[in-house]
Amino acid sequence: MRTVRLRLSLHWAVLGTVLIVAMTVYAHILWEAAFEEVSGDEERELLSKKSVRQDEEEEYTQTSAVVLLQNETEFRETGRNLAEYNPEEDDLTSAQERLQKRRRWIQSVCRHLHHKEPVEKTARNSFNYFFDYRAAVCPIPKSGSSTWREHLRIVNRGPHPSVPIFQDLRLIKIQRQPIKKIMRQLSQTTKIITVRHPLTRLVSLLFRSKFNKGMPLRAYSPKSEEERRKKKAGFSWSDNFYAFWLPALHANNMLPTDFHRDLNLTSPLDPDIRYNTSVYTAIYWRVRPRINFNQFMKLVVSSHKEGKANPHWDTYYNRCSPCRFDYDYVTHIENARGRPQVRIQSVGSSFEADLGRELLEDSL
């Protein structure tokens, strides 16, 4: 009798265990089905948002390309009926012929364009001079301007690398002259300009150097700033925040609307205002800025539309007025090879630059 009862108990125990396992499996199946349904909804929602975001980013990118290549588009449109310049012919012609061809091409295109170039601003603020020679260069940011500054320091024997070129007292003296005198001097001066493709200029150096390739931007370090200033002139951390990072945050609506109250400011943050380092530091630790390429492009487009383009991505005609100044040397940074050594020789009152056929001829 006891044996029968024991067997029944075991049967009921096994049956109960099976039922529990079955219910657990069934509940798990129901849970997975519900999770898959929710996940599917979430995934569809995420894909929808991603599609909208991609459309917006594509629109920003396309718009920026239109703005940045505006000159090139007009260049091609107005040059259809002209004898177009063919870069492939460069290998078959001498450096002098190439220079003449580039000058003629600029002149022919300029006759069909109607840009209002800031001639006086260019003459007074954009040219840097080789003081002992009748030569001047209009350096364009991210188109070899740093290399030109190095050459200027070497040839002019100063100023010290820790002093910006524009603070050279000799340059300031020239800039303070009456504009007519400056223009007369420039008409008798050999003028140089170095250019590069606008998108290459924008992406390869500017986005990488100023926005850290889209990675998190660096924090403020007083010790590093002090050491850097002793060695070399250039943008400080606060300069970068004022000129690049805060405008990018503002253009992309990445700043809290009431954030200025936390900073004890009476009005919302304005990218046109230069704040002290403590304000920028507070913004940095609150936002932890990281600007991707599309956000950077939105900054570029909006600044051009508002007429507030940063000099680093401003147009060539707005920086150097190529339609009003007859540049003797138009060099291409894409063709430069290595880091040329500058050797200057004076021939009478003219300027002869022998860059070892490395800067001029290799860049033509």
Side-chain angles (χ1 to χ4, degrees):
M1 186 69 180
R2 290 180 180 178
T3 303
V4 173
R5 289 180 179 176
L6 181 60
R7 288 179 178 176
L8 288 175
S9 298
L10 289 173
H11 285 308
W12 281 111
V14 171
L15 181 61
T17 303
V18 170
L19 287 174
I20 291 173
V21 171
M23 292 178 65
T24 302
V25 171
Y26 181 68
H28 182 70
I29 292 173
L30 291 178
W31 181 83
E32 283 190 344
F35 178 78
E36 288 179 358
E37 183 177 356
V38 173
S39 299
D41 294 338
E42 292 179 349
E43 183 177 359
R44 285 190 291 273
E45 183 178 357
L46 289 174
L47 288 174
S48 176
K49 291 181 178 179
K50 183 178 180 180
S51 177
V52 172
R53 186 166 61 252
Q54 288 177 342
D55 291 340
E56 292 177 348
E57 292 177 349
E58 183 178 356
E59 180 181 357
Y60 292 147
T61 304
Q62 291 175 350
T63 305
S64 61
V66 170
V67 172
L68 293 170
L69 295 177
Q70 180 180 5
N71 282 356
E72 184 173 342
T73 302
E74 294 177 347
F75 179 88
R76 294 182 182 276
E77 291 294 330
T78 58
R80 285 180 176 177
N81 298 324
L82 302 171
E84 292 193 5
Y85 165 62
N86 183 7
E88 295 180 357
E89 296 178 359
D90 280 355
D91 295 335
L92 305 177
T93 58
S94 67
Q96 184 177 4
E97 290 173 338
R98 278 180 270 163
L99 286 171
Q100 293 175 351
K101 184 179 291 186
R102 290 177 183 177
R103 293 171 64 188
R104 289 197 302 269
W105 179 245
I106 291 175
Q107 292 166 1
S108 63
V109 172
C110 286
R111 285 196 295 269
H112 294 77
L113 297 180
H114 303 285
H115 293 309
K116 185 179 180 181
E117 295 182 337
V119 179
E120 181 174 344
K121 176 184 174 183
T122 298
R124 192 179 294 279
N125 300 324
S126 296
F127 282 102
N128 291 118
Y129 298 85
F130 293 94
F131 297 112
D132 295 335
Y133 311 88
R134 290 189 177 180
V137 58
C138 184
I140 297 172
K142 303 310 171 188
S143 295
S145 59
S146 297
T147 301
W148 276 117
R149 285 194 292 270
E150 291 180 18
H151 297 336
L152 288 160
R153 293 183 196 278
I154 295 171
V155 175
N156 293 333
R157 298 179 179 84
H160 187 272
S162 62
V163 179
I165 285 290
F166 61 83
Q167 292 184 8
D168 191 312
L169 297 179
R170 294 167 293 181
L171 177 61
I172 294 174
K173 183 179 179 180
I174 293 175
Q175 293 174 337
R176 288 179 177 176
Q177 295 178 130
I179 187 60
K180 289 184 178 180
K181 186 174 182 179
I182 296 176
M183 293 294 289
R184 185 167 57 252
Q185 290 176 344
L186 284 171
S187 67
Q188 302 170 356
T189 298
T190 298
K191 293 173 286 296
I192 309 169
I193 184 173
T194 300
V195 299
R196 75 183 305 179
H197 191 285
L199 291 182
T200 305
R201 172 190 171 207
L202 186 72
V203 178
S204 65
L205 286 178
L206 184 58
F207 180 63
R208 293 175 181 176
S209 65
K210 298 301 181 184
F211 291 91
N212 197 25
K213 305 178 185 179
M215 301 297 290
L217 301 174
R218 62 184 178 88
Y220 177 66
S221 171
K223 183 178 180 180
S224 298
E225 287 294 302
E226 183 178 357
E227 292 177 353
R228 187 196 59 78
R229 281 197 302 269
K230 291 179 181 178
K231 297 178 181 179
K232 188 176 181 180
F235 275 67
S236 66
W237 186 87
S238 296
D239 292 334
N240 283 315
F241 216 113
Y242 166 69
F244 306 107
W245 303 345
L246 183 58
L249 295 173
H250 185 268
N252 289 277
N253 299 317
M254 298 172 67
L255 293 171
T257 55
D258 60 345
F259 185 38
H260 63 283
R261 298 175 182 173
D262 297 338
L263 302 175
N264 295 322
L265 299 176
T266 57
S267 58
L269 289 165
D270 185 348
D272 293 330
I273 297 177
R274 178 65 182 258
Y275 298 100
N276 58 44
T277 303
S278 61
V279 172
Y280 294 137
T281 303
I283 298 173
Y284 178 89
W285 291 113
R286 172 72 179 272
V287 181
R288 299 295 180 92
R290 177 175 182 169
I291 308 300
N292 62 38
F293 184 72
N294 285 288
Q295 292 168 335
F296 167 61
M297 293 295 279
K298 185 175 181 180
L299 166 64
V300 173
V301 173
S302 62
S303 65
H304 273 285
K305 287 182 177 179
E306 296 171 3
K308 299 179 180 178
N310 187 288
H312 284 73
W313 56 78
D314 205 354
T315 59
Y316 294 151
Y317 68 82
N318 200 39
R319 291 291 301 171
C320 294
S321 304
C323 290
R324 293 296 300 273
F325 291 99
D326 187 15
Y327 285 92
D328 301 273
Y329 295 95
V330 181
T331 64
H332 294 175
I333 196 172
E334 284 85 356
N335 296 343
R337 285 173 263 181
R339 182 178 291 272
Q341 299 297 321
V342 178
R343 295 188 295 277
I344 304 296
Q345 296 175 348
S346 178
V347 180
S349 59
S350 64
F351 169 82
E352 291 295 333
D354 174 15
L355 304 186
R357 295 182 179 273
E358 295 174 272
L359 179 62
L360 292 184
E361 291 197 8
D362 285 347
S363 302
L364 301 179

